[in-house]
Amino acid sequence: MNPDLAKQTAKRRTFAIISHPDAGKTTLTEKLLLYSGMIHTAGMVRGSKGRKMAASDWMSMEQERGISITASAMQFAYKDVVINILDTPGHQDFSEDTYRTITAADCVIMVIDAAKGVEKQTRKLFEVCRQRRIPILTFINKMDMPGRDPLDLMDELENLLQIHTFAYNWPIGAGRDFCGVYDRLEKKCLFFTKTATGGAEKADVEVTTLDDPKILEKIGPAELEKTKEELSLLDVAGNAFNVQDFLEGHVTPVFFASALTNFGVEPFFDAFIHLAPPPQARIADGLTGKEVPIDPIETPFSAYIFKIQSNMDKRHRDSLAFMRICSGKFERDLIVKHHRLGKEIRLSRPHSMFSGERTTLDEAYPGDVVGVINPGVFAIGDTISIKGGFNFKPLPRFQPEIFAKISPKDVGKRKAFDKGVKQLTGEGAIQMLRPYHEGDDVIYAGVGQLQFEVMQYRLQDEYGVETQLTSLPYTCSSWIEGDVKLFQKSYNSILMKDANDKPMVLFVSQWEKQYSIKQNANLKFFDLDQP
Ligand code: G4P
């Protein structure tokens, strides 16, 4: 065993933050940078971010290539661990990218707005984590604002998400009176005060007990009594915390805090680095169909591509493939097997990313994310390794629901258009479906409207091609298997081929789809499992 590899692997904490937009993911990420010493004043990340919900804003943000959206992973040291935060775009139309990114995480932080509780986007993302048995820590944010009752929130987590909860800490006061948290394992209070700059700098913290007169003065006797009662209720009725249950995804430790004021933030990070697991063995599919574990230390270098992004930096104008290292040490110019293509390739010019800036990388370890220039050889989901003989599990794919034709306004731009479309569909947000029958047109398929807007914007911005989009009436799809020549097409449907040449039918309605399935009993129709 390589002791350096084992030591470096044990130090890695690779995770993603999931939340509904606006719950505070960006603010929390920024505070992690603040507490790790990467930045000295908070406000920088949000400052470059602008208001992010509208498509046009996302696009201007994209141009800046800031931390939040395009940097696939950020790496930095926090105390004695190496943090890898995988970026998960917040907008629901980018969920495919987010789902794939979650597969690269060893652990997830779920941020919940204390006033809103579990929201739609969080539920969807949570399901993906559950399916993959990814351990989840819950961060209940915005405790400095009027919010829901903490016991209610715990209840909602248990009922809506069907996961056991363990209150790792408990809030002292709420809204304007939120002044600290009670650490239930250590049985101590952490009492916070804002610095003159508010949340821009670390909050002052004092370790004390619930009987400290400062607490009584801050929250008053009734609230103090309520907090004490809740704590004894949790002790009596709640379960003890079992780390194994957390690692297997059965229970989520819950933390109450305010990312904005920094109250409760540092104890959360400290608990996080203690609880979050370093990279573990991953289960892959062996060539004989049997599952094989890929141990991060025992197995020589292996990785898989979970994200592809073109033109991240206008100065380079190329496509980067991001891989998650699953085992072994990565070194520059390493020669590896590309399992799908069955050939050897050299991993030259590897990069890590921070704030959109490329940094050349000489070595990396399990849990790390490395970006390599992709001269068209990598596709999402590709496995690469030294040893060969297995493939990492396929990444989540999605059943498209929105369909359109896109063409260049100026036919003279066809070449640039084709190049752009090839690169952008390679990123996996939009699929290109080719006609099954001669005479039909290429159709683009996606799961969200914003994906199309972004594609058009990027074709113009990055490839100089203005495009025209024609929406199509199809609303659902299905792959078919069997003798496709026998397929009896209903009036409105159309037969296409997906990127892997698999036949796929598009329908205008669910009714038509069901009718078609009945009419073609000799063919097998199948959809993807939706998370
Ligand atoms: P997101 O990445 O999950 O979408 O959320 P983000 O961190 O951008 O936070 C969304 C809004 O919520 C921001 O306000 C942010 O300041 C605020 N926020 C985050 N954490 C807390 C918290 O603990 N307490 C309170 N009170 N607010 C919090 P904004 O008005 O959209 O932006 P800004 O003008 O404050 O920068």
Side-chain angles (χ1 to χ4, degrees), residues 19-28 46 49 51-52 141-145 257-261:
S19 63
H20 196 82
D22 271 346
K25 187 176 71 176
T26 314
T27 311
L28 184 65
R46 285 201 55 76
K49 189 173 149 213
R51 311 205 67 84
K52 60 195 170 322
N141 192 28
K142 306 198 185 182
M143 288 303 295
D144 59 302
M145 297 278 280
S258 159
L260 190 69
T261 63

mmCIF file of all heavy atoms in Angstrom, residues 19-28 46 49 51-52 141-145 257-261, ligand 1:
data_model
loop_
_atom_site.group_PDB
_atom_site.id
_atom_site.type_symbol
_atom_site.label_atom_id
_atom_site.label_comp_id
_atom_site.label_asym_id
_atom_site.label_seq_id
_atom_site.Cartn_x
_atom_site.Cartn_y
_atom_site.Cartn_z
ATOM 1 N N SER A 19 -29.966 22.198 -2.754
ATOM 2 C CA SER A 19 -30.964 23.059 -2.116
ATOM 3 C C SER A 19 -31.929 23.572 -3.176
ATOM 4 O O SER A 19 -31.668 23.460 -4.367
ATOM 5 C CB SER A 19 -30.299 24.258 -1.462
ATOM 6 O OG SER A 19 -29.672 25.059 -2.433
ATOM 7 N N HIS A 20 -32.998 24.150 -2.715
ATOM 8 C CA HIS A 20 -33.891 24.867 -3.604
ATOM 9 C C HIS A 20 -33.225 26.221 -3.843
ATOM 10 O O HIS A 20 -32.567 26.734 -2.943
ATOM 11 C CB HIS A 20 -35.242 25.039 -2.911
ATOM 12 C CG HIS A 20 -36.330 25.419 -3.834
ATOM 13 N ND1 HIS A 20 -37.002 24.507 -4.600
ATOM 14 C CD2 HIS A 20 -36.843 26.624 -4.152
ATOM 15 C CE1 HIS A 20 -37.898 25.132 -5.324
ATOM 16 N NE2 HIS A 20 -37.821 26.419 -5.081
ATOM 17 N N PRO A 21 -33.399 26.828 -5.036
ATOM 18 C CA PRO A 21 -32.789 28.145 -5.242
ATOM 19 C C PRO A 21 -33.151 29.108 -4.110
ATOM 20 O O PRO A 21 -34.281 29.097 -3.624
ATOM 21 C CB PRO A 21 -33.405 28.607 -6.564
ATOM 22 C CG PRO A 21 -33.745 27.348 -7.285
ATOM 23 C CD PRO A 21 -34.094 26.343 -6.232
ATOM 24 N N ASP A 22 -32.134 29.880 -3.687
ATOM 25 C CA ASP A 22 -32.303 30.923 -2.660
ATOM 26 C C ASP A 22 -32.253 30.441 -1.221
ATOM 27 O O ASP A 22 -32.424 31.245 -0.306
ATOM 28 C CB ASP A 22 -33.604 31.722 -2.856
ATOM 29 C CG ASP A 22 -33.353 32.908 -3.767
ATOM 30 O OD1 ASP A 22 -32.173 33.219 -3.990
ATOM 31 O OD2 ASP A 22 -34.326 33.500 -4.254
ATOM 32 N N ALA A 23 -32.057 29.158 -1.006
ATOM 33 C CA ALA A 23 -32.005 28.674 0.383
ATOM 34 C C ALA A 23 -30.708 29.091 1.067
ATOM 35 O O ALA A 23 -30.639 29.137 2.300
ATOM 36 C CB ALA A 23 -32.170 27.167 0.416
ATOM 37 N N GLY A 24 -29.666 29.381 0.258
ATOM 38 C CA GLY A 24 -28.423 29.866 0.869
ATOM 39 C C GLY A 24 -27.179 29.051 0.523
ATOM 40 O O GLY A 24 -26.156 29.170 1.192
ATOM 41 N N LYS A 25 -27.257 28.289 -0.560
ATOM 42 C CA LYS A 25 -26.112 27.457 -0.960
ATOM 43 C C LYS A 25 -24.869 28.307 -1.237
ATOM 44 O O LYS A 25 -23.779 27.988 -0.765
ATOM 45 C CB LYS A 25 -26.509 26.665 -2.212
ATOM 46 C CG LYS A 25 -25.497 25.657 -2.619
ATOM 47 C CD LYS A 25 -25.980 24.856 -3.795
ATOM 48 C CE LYS A 25 -25.984 25.703 -5.050
ATOM 49 N NZ LYS A 25 -26.349 24.941 -6.235
ATOM 50 N N THR A 26 -25.043 29.374 -1.982
ATOM 51 C CA THR A 26 -23.894 30.211 -2.337
ATOM 52 C C THR A 26 -23.308 30.864 -1.090
ATOM 53 O O THR A 26 -22.084 30.914 -0.915
ATOM 54 C CB THR A 26 -24.328 31.323 -3.316
ATOM 55 O OG1 THR A 26 -25.128 30.721 -4.313
ATOM 56 C CG2 THR A 26 -23.149 32.005 -3.937
ATOM 57 N N THR A 27 -24.196 31.341 -0.225
ATOM 58 C CA THR A 27 -23.723 32.005 0.990
ATOM 59 C C THR A 27 -22.943 31.007 1.853
ATOM 60 O O THR A 27 -21.869 31.322 2.361
ATOM 61 C CB THR A 27 -24.929 32.577 1.781
ATOM 62 O OG1 THR A 27 -25.754 33.301 0.868
ATOM 63 C CG2 THR A 27 -24.486 33.483 2.898
ATOM 64 N N LEU A 28 -23.458 29.808 1.972
ATOM 65 C CA LEU A 28 -22.770 28.807 2.794
ATOM 66 C C LEU A 28 -21.412 28.450 2.190
ATOM 67 O O LEU A 28 -20.417 28.329 2.905
ATOM 68 C CB LEU A 28 -23.645 27.549 2.935
ATOM 69 C CG LEU A 28 -23.064 26.481 3.861
ATOM 70 C CD1 LEU A 28 -22.996 26.977 5.304
ATOM 71 C CD2 LEU A 28 -23.873 25.197 3.801
ATOM 72 N N ARG A 46 -20.931 36.480 -3.880
ATOM 73 C CA ARG A 46 -22.259 36.984 -4.213
ATOM 74 C C ARG A 46 -22.157 38.238 -5.075
ATOM 75 O O ARG A 46 -22.956 38.461 -5.948
ATOM 76 C CB ARG A 46 -23.045 37.304 -2.942
ATOM 77 C CG ARG A 46 -23.543 36.076 -2.238
ATOM 78 C CD ARG A 46 -24.696 36.428 -1.345
ATOM 79 N NE ARG A 46 -25.725 37.100 -2.122
ATOM 80 C CZ ARG A 46 -26.558 36.493 -2.950
ATOM 81 N NH1 ARG A 46 -26.454 35.195 -3.134
ATOM 82 N NH2 ARG A 46 -27.473 37.159 -3.599
ATOM 83 N N LYS A 49 -21.982 37.578 -8.506
ATOM 84 C CA LYS A 49 -23.011 36.659 -8.950
ATOM 85 C C LYS A 49 -24.245 37.363 -9.509
ATOM 86 O O LYS A 49 -24.868 36.870 -10.436
ATOM 87 C CB LYS A 49 -23.390 35.813 -7.738
ATOM 88 C CG LYS A 49 -24.281 34.670 -8.050
ATOM 89 C CD LYS A 49 -24.409 33.856 -6.789
ATOM 90 C CE LYS A 49 -25.739 33.212 -6.731
ATOM 91 N NZ LYS A 49 -26.302 33.054 -5.470
ATOM 92 N N ARG A 51 -28.091 38.811 -9.571
ATOM 93 C CA ARG A 51 -29.326 38.081 -9.302
ATOM 94 C C ARG A 51 -29.401 36.978 -10.344
ATOM 95 O O ARG A 51 -29.289 37.218 -11.505
ATOM 96 C CB ARG A 51 -30.518 39.020 -9.400
ATOM 97 C CG ARG A 51 -30.308 40.290 -8.612
ATOM 98 C CD ARG A 51 -31.611 40.888 -8.216
ATOM 99 N NE ARG A 51 -32.263 40.002 -7.274
ATOM 100 C CZ ARG A 51 -32.002 40.014 -5.971
ATOM 101 N NH1 ARG A 51 -31.103 40.820 -5.486
ATOM 102 N NH2 ARG A 51 -32.638 39.198 -5.176
ATOM 103 N N LYS A 52 -29.620 35.778 -9.881
ATOM 104 C CA LYS A 52 -29.285 34.684 -10.778
ATOM 105 C C LYS A 52 -30.452 33.932 -11.411
ATOM 106 O O LYS A 52 -30.255 33.042 -12.192
ATOM 107 C CB LYS A 52 -28.430 33.674 -10.033
ATOM 108 C CG LYS A 52 -29.179 33.122 -8.856
ATOM 109 C CD LYS A 52 -28.241 32.433 -7.928
ATOM 110 C CE LYS A 52 -28.872 32.079 -6.624
ATOM 111 N NZ LYS A 52 -29.783 32.901 -5.971
ATOM 112 N N ASN A 141 -31.015 26.735 7.403
ATOM 113 C CA ASN A 141 -30.423 28.077 7.284
ATOM 114 C C ASN A 141 -31.435 29.180 7.595
ATOM 115 O O ASN A 141 -32.627 28.927 7.682
ATOM 116 C CB ASN A 141 -29.895 28.225 5.847
ATOM 117 C CG ASN A 141 -29.019 29.432 5.685
ATOM 118 O OD1 ASN A 141 -28.372 29.885 6.633
ATOM 119 N ND2 ASN A 141 -28.995 29.992 4.493
ATOM 120 N N LYS A 142 -30.909 30.372 7.718
ATOM 121 C CA LYS A 142 -31.698 31.600 7.917
ATOM 122 C C LYS A 142 -32.409 31.613 9.263
ATOM 123 O O LYS A 142 -33.537 32.088 9.376
ATOM 124 C CB LYS A 142 -32.703 31.809 6.774
ATOM 125 C CG LYS A 142 -32.056 31.793 5.391
ATOM 126 C CD LYS A 142 -32.923 32.414 4.335
ATOM 127 C CE LYS A 142 -32.293 32.265 2.954
ATOM 128 N NZ LYS A 142 -33.033 32.858 1.890
ATOM 129 N N MET A 143 -31.758 31.054 10.285
ATOM 130 C CA MET A 143 -32.366 31.071 11.609
ATOM 131 C C MET A 143 -32.450 32.490 12.173
ATOM 132 O O MET A 143 -33.131 32.723 13.156
ATOM 133 C CB MET A 143 -31.574 30.158 12.566
ATOM 134 C CG MET A 143 -31.737 28.680 12.298
ATOM 135 S SD MET A 143 -33.474 28.135 12.345
ATOM 136 C CE MET A 143 -33.893 28.429 14.060
ATOM 137 N N ASP A 144 -31.741 33.429 11.554
ATOM 138 C CA ASP A 144 -31.808 34.830 12.001
ATOM 139 C C ASP A 144 -33.089 35.516 11.546
ATOM 140 O O ASP A 144 -33.348 36.659 11.894
ATOM 141 C CB ASP A 144 -30.600 35.604 11.463
ATOM 142 C CG ASP A 144 -30.567 35.568 9.942
ATOM 143 O OD1 ASP A 144 -30.533 34.458 9.381
ATOM 144 O OD2 ASP A 144 -30.593 36.644 9.316
ATOM 145 N N MET A 145 -33.868 34.818 10.722
ATOM 146 C CA MET A 145 -35.113 35.397 10.205
ATOM 147 C C MET A 145 -36.290 34.673 10.862
ATOM 148 O O MET A 145 -36.154 33.528 11.271
ATOM 149 C CB MET A 145 -35.204 35.147 8.693
ATOM 150 C CG MET A 145 -34.136 35.794 7.884
ATOM 151 S SD MET A 145 -34.539 37.488 7.590
ATOM 152 C CE MET A 145 -35.699 37.291 6.241
ATOM 153 N N ALA A 257 -28.588 27.038 11.799
ATOM 154 C CA ALA A 257 -27.570 28.088 11.700
ATOM 155 C C ALA A 257 -28.058 29.249 10.849
ATOM 156 O O ALA A 257 -29.163 29.224 10.300
ATOM 157 C CB ALA A 257 -26.288 27.512 11.090
ATOM 158 N N SER A 258 -27.219 30.250 10.753
ATOM 159 C CA SER A 258 -27.473 31.350 9.824
ATOM 160 C C SER A 258 -26.193 31.585 9.033
ATOM 161 O O SER A 258 -25.193 32.037 9.583
ATOM 162 C CB SER A 258 -27.847 32.617 10.591
ATOM 163 O OG SER A 258 -27.615 33.739 9.771
ATOM 164 N N ALA A 259 -26.242 31.224 7.762
ATOM 165 C CA ALA A 259 -25.042 31.379 6.927
ATOM 166 C C ALA A 259 -24.692 32.856 6.774
ATOM 167 O O ALA A 259 -23.530 33.215 6.650
ATOM 168 C CB ALA A 259 -25.268 30.739 5.561
ATOM 169 N N LEU A 260 -25.731 33.693 6.811
ATOM 170 C CA LEU A 260 -25.490 35.120 6.598
ATOM 171 C C LEU A 260 -24.741 35.747 7.774
ATOM 172 O O LEU A 260 -23.773 36.469 7.580
ATOM 173 C CB LEU A 260 -26.827 35.846 6.393
ATOM 174 C CG LEU A 260 -26.706 37.294 5.929
ATOM 175 C CD1 LEU A 260 -26.172 37.359 4.506
ATOM 176 C CD2 LEU A 260 -28.064 37.989 5.996
ATOM 177 N N THR A 261 -25.169 35.445 8.993
ATOM 178 C CA THR A 261 -24.517 36.076 10.157
ATOM 179 C C THR A 261 -23.344 35.239 10.682
ATOM 180 O O THR A 261 -22.652 35.657 11.602
ATOM 181 C CB THR A 261 -25.527 36.254 11.308
ATOM 182 O OG1 THR A 261 -25.965 34.949 11.720
ATOM 183 C CG2 THR A 261 -26.722 37.096 10.905
HETATM 184 P P1 G4P B 1 -28.684 30.014 -3.288
HETATM 185 O O1 G4P B 1 -27.239 29.984 -3.700
HETATM 186 O O2 G4P B 1 -29.111 28.793 -2.539
HETATM 187 O O3 G4P B 1 -29.632 30.334 -4.384
HETATM 188 O O4 G4P B 1 -28.883 31.180 -2.202
HETATM 189 P P2 G4P B 1 -27.951 32.415 -1.847
HETATM 190 O O5 G4P B 1 -26.799 31.987 -1.016
HETATM 191 O O6 G4P B 1 -27.687 33.184 -3.067
HETATM 192 O O7 G4P B 1 -28.943 33.203 -0.875
HETATM 193 C C1 G4P B 1 -30.201 33.690 -1.321
HETATM 194 C C2 G4P B 1 -30.594 34.906 -0.510
HETATM 195 O O8 G4P B 1 -30.738 34.534 0.863
HETATM 196 C C3 G4P B 1 -29.568 36.021 -0.531
HETATM 197 O O9 G4P B 1 -30.274 37.242 -0.396
HETATM 198 C C4 G4P B 1 -28.771 35.769 0.731
HETATM 199 O O10 G4P B 1 -28.139 36.929 1.239
HETATM 200 C C5 G4P B 1 -29.875 35.306 1.657
HETATM 201 N N1 G4P B 1 -29.381 34.473 2.759
HETATM 202 C C6 G4P B 1 -28.545 33.421 2.694
HETATM 203 N N2 G4P B 1 -28.336 32.910 3.918
HETATM 204 C C7 G4P B 1 -29.049 33.665 4.772
HETATM 205 C C8 G4P B 1 -29.230 33.638 6.193
HETATM 206 O O11 G4P B 1 -28.688 32.821 6.925
HETATM 207 N N3 G4P B 1 -30.053 34.600 6.699
HETATM 208 C C9 G4P B 1 -30.683 35.534 5.936
HETATM 209 N N4 G4P B 1 -31.439 36.419 6.540
HETATM 210 N N5 G4P B 1 -30.520 35.582 4.601
HETATM 211 C C10 G4P B 1 -29.711 34.651 4.031
HETATM 212 P P3 G4P B 1 -30.522 38.197 -1.620
HETATM 213 O O12 G4P B 1 -31.383 39.258 -1.120
HETATM 214 O O13 G4P B 1 -30.970 37.401 -2.811
HETATM 215 O O14 G4P B 1 -29.119 38.699 -1.970
HETATM 216 P P4 G4P B 1 -28.268 39.796 -1.222
HETATM 217 O O15 G4P B 1 -28.820 41.056 -1.727
HETATM 218 O O16 G4P B 1 -28.491 39.587 0.241
HETATM 219 O O17 G4P B 1 -26.886 39.516 -1.647
#
